[in-house]
Amino acid sequence: MAYTSLKSVPQAFRQRKRLIVVQVAAALAVILLLFSKPALAEGSNGHEALETIGFAMVLACFLGRLWSILFVGGRKNDELIVSGPFSMTQNPLYFFSTVGTAGIGLMFGSVLAAAMLGLASFLVFRFTARKEAEYLAGKFGAVHAAYAARTPRFWPNPLLYRDEDQWLVSTGALRRTFRDGLYFLALFPVIESVEYLRLSGDLPTLFTVY
């Protein structure tokens, strides 16, 4: 069920700073990818296992974000969505994005890279989620307070899941989320190409990441 409010509320949190931090982190990740190598040798059982787990996490991110956007559509900050993935966590989009970011590090074959990327993503989204919660609390008052009291802000609790019989879907928001998610999936062939160039000696290795 979605709730709306008619009372005057403060302006929604602007995410420009959060996007800048994410872009900087992505640039650093690219540098890490191009000029370093994982401690586990490419082709080894350990390296392949990490790649597989990482790809599964990125795929979960892609599908989870699509699932979340089916519920929130283009109504984020305009309505309080409390069903589907939003019944398990207040911020499923941020949760799945963090899972995907950590998965990128594992696709590279590095537990350290996964931990660093996942932590950076978690901290940025945690700050954003707190600001958005302040806005929603001011807009929806007691309704949001009750929702926040029973629903984790970030880590999902599947036992809380509940759904709706019918839901309106924003096809525009779904297309945008699908397009954005393709960037996560496109990293897999990029990483494989970088590994090939590194093994062939066309890319220098400056350091090793464990």
Side-chain angles (χ1 to χ4, degrees):
M1 182 181 296
Y3 298 90
T4 58
S5 174
L6 298 178
K7 69 178 182 178
S8 178
V9 296
Q11 188 176 17
F13 173 63
R14 297 181 180 273
Q15 301 190 32
R16 183 172 178 272
K17 291 182 179 180
R18 189 261 302 177
L19 292 174
I20 292 175
V21 172
V22 172
Q23 290 167 357
V24 171
L28 293 176
V30 169
I31 295 174
L32 177 70
L33 173 66
L34 290 177
F35 300 107
S36 65
K37 69 174 183 177
L40 293 173
E42 284 92 345
S44 66
N45 291 336
H47 185 275
E48 294 302 313
L50 288 181
E51 273 194 346
T52 301
I53 296 172
F55 181 75
M57 292 173 66
V58 170
L59 184 60
C61 164
F62 177 71
L63 297 176
R65 285 178 56 82
L66 286 178
W67 179 38
S68 300
I69 214 68
L70 286 175
F71 283 81
V72 72
R75 299 182 294 273
K76 185 174 183 179
N77 292 329
D78 294 325
E79 299 180 14
L80 184 61
I81 311 301
V82 299
S83 302
F86 291 87
S87 65
M88 300 185 297
T89 168
Q90 298 175 46
N91 296 280
L93 284 164
Y94 295 162
F95 169 75
F96 285 117
S97 295
T98 299
V99 169
T101 304
I104 292 171
L106 291 182
M107 285 171 59
F108 178 64
S110 169
V111 174
L112 180 59
M116 292 176 62
L117 290 172
L119 179 61
S121 178
F122 170 74
L123 292 176
V124 170
F125 287 130
R126 182 182 181 185
F127 170 78
T128 306
R130 185 172 67 249
K131 291 296 184 180
E132 289 183 348
E134 293 174 356
Y135 166 77
L136 294 174
K139 183 170 187 177
F140 298 104
V143 175
H144 178 269
Y147 170 64
R150 69 175 182 267
T151 311
R153 179 170 293 181
F154 191 82
W155 302 107
N157 181 356
L159 297 178
L160 299 175
Y161 183 80
R162 66 186 187 88
D163 212 337
E164 296 287 342
D165 294 332
Q166 294 181 335
W167 200 258
L168 295 177
V169 176
S170 170
T171 55
L174 190 61
R175 283 196 303 269
R176 289 191 297 272
T177 303
F178 181 84
R179 183 190 62 228
D180 292 343
L182 291 179
Y183 289 109
F184 279 94
L185 295 179
L187 286 172
F188 183 72
V190 170
I191 290 174
E192 292 297 312
S193 299
V194 168
E195 287 183 357
Y196 173 79
L197 293 173
R198 185 167 51 243
L199 289 173
S200 65
D202 293 323
L203 278 177
T205 298
L206 302 182
F207 51 90
T208 300
V209 180
Y210 290 88

